[in-house]
Amino acid sequence: VALKLRGPQGSKVGVTVLRGQETKDFIIQREPIKVTSVRSYMKNKVGVIRIKNFSATTGATVKETLAELKKKGAKTILFDLRSNPGGLLPGGTETASLFLKANQPIVFVVSNKGVVDAQETFSDGVDTETPIVILVDHNTASAAEVFTAALKENGRAKVVGEQTFGKGIIQTIRELADKNGGVAVTVARYETPKHNDINKAGIAVDEAVNVECPKDDALLCVPSTLL
C-alpha cells in the first residue's frame, strides 16, 4: 500500500476507503511527511526537551530548540529520554557535542576485531554552562545511552530515573542460505567516555526517582533540588 501511495511531491492519488459497508473515494495530494522526534516546553524556568528517538536531524533540531528555550528564560535544561530506544548513533553523538567543550570524549566504538574508533568533540558546543538533568528509564537504550553517558561522565549532566536498558552493541543481519531467515551478528560495541561497557548493564543514575509522571510534565519526576 505504501509503495502505491508514494510519488512525486505535489502529485495526486486516488484512494478508496471502506467504512463499514460503505466505500468512499478521496483524492490526496502527496506531500512530505515530517516525523517530529523532539518536543519541548517550559515550566518554572526549566526548559524540557523530550527526545523520542535520535535521527540524523536531532542535533540540529535540539540546537534550535535550545535557543528558543533560552530566549524564553530557561535557566536549566531537562532532557526527557524515557522510552527512547536509541536510533542513529550520529544523532546521539552530535546532540551530545552541543553541550561539551572541545576535545572531550563522546564514545568509543570498538569493532569485533578490536579496532577502536574514538569519537570526541572538535570545538566547544553551543552551551557548555547551563545546568542539565537527564531523565531516563529502563527502556532508554542504545544511542540514547551514548548521549546520556557522554554528558554524565564528562560531568556535564545529572542523570535521574531508573537504570537504563543496556544496549551497547552494533549488530547486522546476515541472511541464511536459501533465504531461510537470518542471524544477528555483533560487529562492534560501545564504550563510554570512561571506557565502561554498558551492554546488558545499562547506566546507573545519580538519583533514583519515580518515572511514571506524564510525558507532558516530566518535572514531576525530578526533585526540585536538582532544578
Side-chain angles (χ1 to χ4, degrees):
V1 175
L3 290 175
K4 292 183 177 180
L5 290 175
R6 291 179 184 137
Q9 181 178 347
S11 63
K12 296 181 179 180
V13 61
V15 179
T16 300
V17 178
L18 176 63
R19 290 180 176 170
Q21 301 299 316
E22 183 182 3
T23 59
K24 289 190 175 183
D25 295 324
F26 298 91
I27 301 297
I28 301 174
Q29 181 169 311
R30 295 181 173 100
E31 297 293 343
I33 297 175
K34 295 182 179 179
V35 179
T36 303
S37 63
V38 178
R39 297 185 183 278
S40 66
Y41 54 92
M42 276 274 295
K43 185 176 180 181
N44 301 331
K45 293 189 177 181
V46 178
V48 182
I49 301 177
R50 174 163 174 76
I51 305 177
K52 291 190 288 186
N53 64 277
F54 286 91
S55 69
T57 60
T58 301
T61 304
V62 169
K63 183 178 180 180
E64 293 175 3
T65 301
L66 176 68
E68 292 171 2
L69 290 172
K70 293 182 75 172
K71 281 183 180 179
K72 294 177 181 178
K75 301 299 182 184
T76 301
I77 298 297
L78 169 62
F79 280 100
D80 184 357
L81 301 186
R82 289 174 295 168
S83 296
N84 183 322
L88 298 180
L89 176 62
T93 57
E94 289 170 11
T95 305
S97 69
L98 297 172
F99 304 96
L100 299 174
K101 293 183 178 181
N103 303 315
Q104 288 190 301
I106 301 176
V107 66
F108 298 94
V109 180
V110 185
S111 75
N112 54 9
K113 295 182 180 179
V115 179
V116 179
D117 175 19
Q119 300 184 22
E120 62 180 29
T121 55
F122 295 106
S123 59
D124 288 352
V126 296
D127 187 342
T128 60
E129 299 296 335
T130 302
I132 295 174
V133 178
I134 304 175
L135 176 62
V136 298
D137 65 8
H138 64 280
N139 289 317
T140 304
S142 195
E145 291 177 293
V146 169
F147 170 85
T148 300
L151 268 59
K152 178 187 179 184
E153 294 190 0
N154 280 299
R156 188 64 187 87
K158 293 291 185 182
V159 181
V160 301
E162 299 175 334
Q163 186 104 355
T164 61
F165 183 83
K167 185 181 185 301
I169 56 175
I170 303 172
Q171 295 180 309
T172 185
I173 303 297
R174 294 187 179 170
E175 192 174 285
L176 298 176
D178 300 322
K179 297 184 178 180
N180 188 27
V183 60
V185 178
T186 300
V187 295
R189 60 182 172 82
Y190 304 136
E191 286 186 0
T192 68
K194 292 185 177 180
H195 290 285
N196 291 312
D197 184 351
I198 63 171
N199 196 50
K200 297 184 179 180
I203 298 170
V205 296
D206 294 306
E207 186 167 340
V209 300
N210 184 347
V211 297
E212 297 303 321
C213 53
K215 294 290 192 292
D216 59 355
D217 197 355
L219 271 69
L220 292 177
C221 283
V222 182
S224 58
T225 53
L226 295 176
L227 301 172

